């Protein structure tokens, strides 16, 4: 089964939507947001096929979103407006 993860809107004004389509992995999905210095801003599990990450308190700029499951990691560059 193929798992597809979508992240939007990007650039984001603050609240980021994560959508998982296809097969939900049997293992836990972990979402992490880092700033460009590598500091962790958000770590939260994704328990359903959709979730929100609230970055409205974070300063404007670029961030890295990492979503990991079953030994796979995908990365996105986020722009916080």
């Amino acid at each position: 089964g193929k798992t597809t993860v979508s992240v939007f809107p990007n650039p984001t004004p603050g609240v980021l939507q994560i959508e998982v389509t296809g097969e939900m992995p049997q293992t836990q999905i972990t979402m992490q947001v880092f700033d460009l210095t590598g500091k962790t801003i958000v770590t939260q599990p994704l328990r359903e096929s959709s979730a929100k990450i609230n970055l409205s308190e974070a300063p404007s700029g670029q961030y890295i979103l990492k979503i990991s499951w079953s030994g796979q990691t995908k990365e996105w560059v986020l722009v916080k407006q």
Side-chain angles (χ1 to χ4, degrees), residues 3-19:
T3 304
T4 306
V5 180
S6 310
V7 175
F8 57 92
N10 188 17
T12 179
V15 178
L16 201 63
Q17 183 80 30
I18 315 293
E19 297 279 352

Side-chain angles (χ1 to χ4, degrees), residues 4-45:
T4 306
V5 180
S6 310
V7 175
F8 57 92
N10 188 17
T12 179
V15 178
L16 201 63
Q17 183 80 30
I18 315 293
E19 297 279 352
V20 180
T21 51
E23 195 173 304
M24 277 295 280
Q26 297 304 307
T27 57
Q28 176 165 292
I29 305 175
T30 304
M31 307 185 290
Q32 292 176 293
V33 178
F34 303 91
D35 68 15
L36 294 184
T37 70
K39 182 171 160 241
T40 305
I41 308 292
V42 173
T43 300
Q44 67 188 66

Side-chain angles (χ1 to χ4, degrees), residues 17-77:
Q17 183 80 30
I18 315 293
E19 297 279 352
V20 180
T21 51
E23 195 173 304
M24 277 295 280
Q26 297 304 307
T27 57
Q28 176 165 292
I29 305 175
T30 304
M31 307 185 290
Q32 292 176 293
V33 178
F34 303 91
D35 68 15
L36 294 184
T37 70
K39 182 171 160 241
T40 305
I41 308 292
V42 173
T43 300
Q44 67 188 66
L46 175 57
R47 294 196 177 88
E48 296 145 33
S49 58
S50 69
K52 289 183 167 67
I53 295 178
N54 189 347
L55 294 177
S56 50
E57 299 296 310
S60 298
Q62 287 192 329
Y63 295 87
I64 307 294
L65 168 66
K66 285 189 185 179
I67 300 183
S68 317
W69 71 91
S70 309
Q72 298 185 63
T73 301
K74 292 205 165 184
E75 289 192 17
W76 289 262
V77 176

